[in-house]
């Protein structure tokens, strides 16, 4: 449930940096042809978001069928009607998904913007850690 949110954002950012490094020639070619940084890295950002959202989509697909999430189980054991417990669990799952989606979008946008300087040049050396 809630522990998937940071993992999804981490997966999206990891995928962004790996794909940007692998596609640096293609990105630089697009920049040379006059595209802006957003369109030059657009497909990489889209793939990174897709990869980051896979864990939460899988969690939503199995909730209630394969596993009974904790809140729903607790409510049923406390005597709540199962349909009411399911409604609350759906609300929580949608809130977690929205948080994951917004966090992933923000992280990928900020991360991809950080890969370019003010003159729209690809700056992959910024991926290296300055610590150690």
């Amino acid at each position: 449930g809630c522990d998937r949110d940071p993992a999804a954002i981490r997966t999206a950012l990891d995928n962004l940096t790996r794909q940007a490094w692998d596609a640096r020639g293609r990105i630089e070619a697009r920049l040379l042809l006059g595209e802006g940084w957003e369109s030059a890295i657009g497909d990489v950002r889209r793939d990174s978001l897709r990869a980051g959202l896979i864990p939460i989509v899988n969690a939503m697909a199995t909730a209630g069928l394969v596993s009974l999430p904790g809140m729903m189980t607790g409510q049923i054991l406390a005597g709540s009607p199962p349909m009411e417990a399911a409604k609350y669990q759906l609300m929580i799952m949608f809130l977690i998904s929205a948080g994951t989606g917004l966090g992933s979008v923000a992280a990928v946008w900020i991360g991809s913007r950080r890969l370019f300087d003010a003159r729209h040049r690809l700056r992959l050396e910024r991926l290296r850690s300055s610590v150690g």
Side-chain angles (χ1 to χ4, degrees):
C2 291
D3 62 329
R4 297 190 190 273
D5 189 34
I9 295 171
R10 183 173 44 247
T11 301
L13 281 177
D14 181 53
N15 203 331
L16 173 73
T17 56
R18 189 176 337 105
Q19 282 193 30
W21 183 262
D22 292 343
R24 63 188 177 274
R26 186 175 66 228
I27 294 169
E28 287 178 345
R30 289 176 179 169
L31 292 171
L32 286 171
L33 291 172
E35 291 187 25
W37 71 271
E38 288 182 329
S39 61
I41 200 168
D43 58 339
V44 172
R45 290 193 319 180
R46 193 171 28 260
D47 291 344
S48 299
L49 280 174
R50 187 176 295 124
L53 294 178
I54 286 174
I56 193 66
V57 170
N58 288 341
M60 287 180 64
T62 61
L65 298 175
V66 176
S67 66
L68 287 177
M71 186 181 120
M72 192 165 125
T73 305
Q75 282 187 324
I76 291 172
L77 290 176
S80 291
M83 285 304 289
E84 184 177 328
K87 287 178 188 176
Y88 280 114
Q89 186 61 48
L90 279 173
M91 180 186 68
I92 295 298
M93 290 298 291
F94 286 138
L95 288 173
I96 291 171
S97 300
T100 300
L102 291 174
S104 295
V105 166
V108 166
W109 190 86
I110 291 168
S112 62
R113 180 66 188 111
R114 180 84 175 112
L115 293 176
F116 296 89
D117 64 8
R119 294 174 55 192
H120 294 251
R121 294 177 298 185
L122 185 61
R123 302 294 299 267
L124 289 178
E125 70 274 2
R126 293 179 177 180
L127 292 177
R128 294 193 189 100
S129 175
S130 61
V131 178

